[in-house]
Amino acid sequence: MSDAAARAEQIARASYGKLVAILAARDRDIARAEDALATAFAKALASWPRDGVPDRPEAWLITTARHAATDSWRRDARHDPLDEVPEMQTETPHPIPDDRLRLMFVCAHPALDRGVHTAMMLQTVLGVTSERMARAFQLRPSTLSQRLVRAKTKIKQAGIAFELPEADALPARLGAVLEAVYGAYAIDWMVPDSAGDLTREALFLSDLTAQLCPDEPEALGLAALIAFLAARHEARLAGGMLVPLHAQDTDLWDHDMITHAAHVLTRASRLGQPGRFQLEASIQAVHAARAQTGRTDWRALSQLYAGLLHVAPSLGAEVARAAVVAEDAGADQGLALLDLIAPECIARFQPYWATRAHILRQLDHPDAPEAYAKAISLCTEPPLRRWLEAERDALIH
């Protein structure tokens, strides 16, 4: 990759949401803004290697995208061909994080379908593709794309403003923003050998949201949760193979980040309003304690997962609880919990089959190889596949 191409990619990662927000600020047509920006990046990849990277690359991209938007307006029969894209500031008075958060809160507008909030933010602000999101959300890409198109059309037609809501309206939208930031991290987590771009975005945005809403315990809880998880990034792989949490070398963890996460979680707990992200952060805090104690407190994890299932039930939490109960109370107890999950829920849920295979292996059950085969067949990420194959091969041989 040339230096110019690398610079364009860097700007795309760091400033995509900001640039879309600026371009769509006047007419609120996110789809047109995204198309115009894509054209600008294509032209950058063609001209920057030849002419050099401009002194102000973001301004160059905005100007080029505006020209593309103007051409689009002129071609659109719904608009007067004499219309021009109105002048908008290339440089906003707000730092990039505020532009990005502003657009995220727009995407969390109550007029939009709640089911599309997270996908809108991930695509519009962070540039995550529909295909990548669809894999994470277990949806068809075409289905997700249709939902996004409808949401963007509604933003334009309803004239939804690109501005942060008043302070008293923040809580109503905050939950959707937190879900999207967590979604960004989760998508990256599913690709253990990724460059970690979305992890860095999630860390940054969760910290920023916590600063914006310092009295919102779940905002603090999410910031703590992502920090705990990101602190283990360097320990997740060894030789291109996934290293499960219980086997990770704690010396490779970022202990300063863990200390920061624990501090933020303590701030959240003092507010006395427990919630999903605080419980998930507490679960990760128990895992982090192994660096000091040398052991995992499985009983504490079992109790925390029970609390999580009460506050925010999910298939993932059910499977995770079964895994920790197997460690705490015995593999047969963990297997019993897995057997309670409805078959139609787990047919293509890879973590279920990986967990079932592990528990069956602990029980020397003859069905363990079949469970490993099912988990491997549903696995799309090479590091995780290699680990599962190694576990299966060790069982067979």
Side-chain angles (χ1 to χ4, degrees), residues 81 124 194 235 253 320 332 354:
T124 304
S194 73
W253 292 354
D332 56 335

Side-chain angles (χ1 to χ4, degrees), residues 54-116:
D55 292 336
R56 298 172 63 209
E58 288 186 7
W60 187 99
L61 287 165
I62 285 289
T63 299
T64 304
R66 283 178 179 163
H67 291 160
T70 299
D71 292 341
S72 174
W73 275 52
R74 285 171 171 162
R75 290 192 302 268
D76 193 334
R78 293 172 299 173
H79 293 89
D80 188 324
L82 296 178
D83 282 347
E84 295 286 341
V85 177
E87 277 299 310
M88 291 175 279
Q89 289 179 297
T90 298
E91 300 294 337
T92 70
H94 304 285
I96 291 176
D98 287 343
D99 285 313
R100 294 152 74 80
L101 271 183
R102 191 157 35 248
L103 189 54
M104 292 185 82
F105 276 101
V106 169
C107 295
H109 197 283
L112 300 176
D113 180 7
R114 292 182 62 184
V116 80

Side-chain angles (χ1 to χ4, degrees), residues 15 74 126 158 180 259 320 354 365:
S15 303
R74 285 171 171 162
L126 300 178
T259 299
H365 197 288

Side-chain angles (χ1 to χ4, degrees), residues 367-382:
D367 289 345
E370 182 180 351
Y372 273 115
K374 179 69 172 179
I376 292 167
S377 73
L378 295 172
C379 186
T380 60
E381 307 307 334

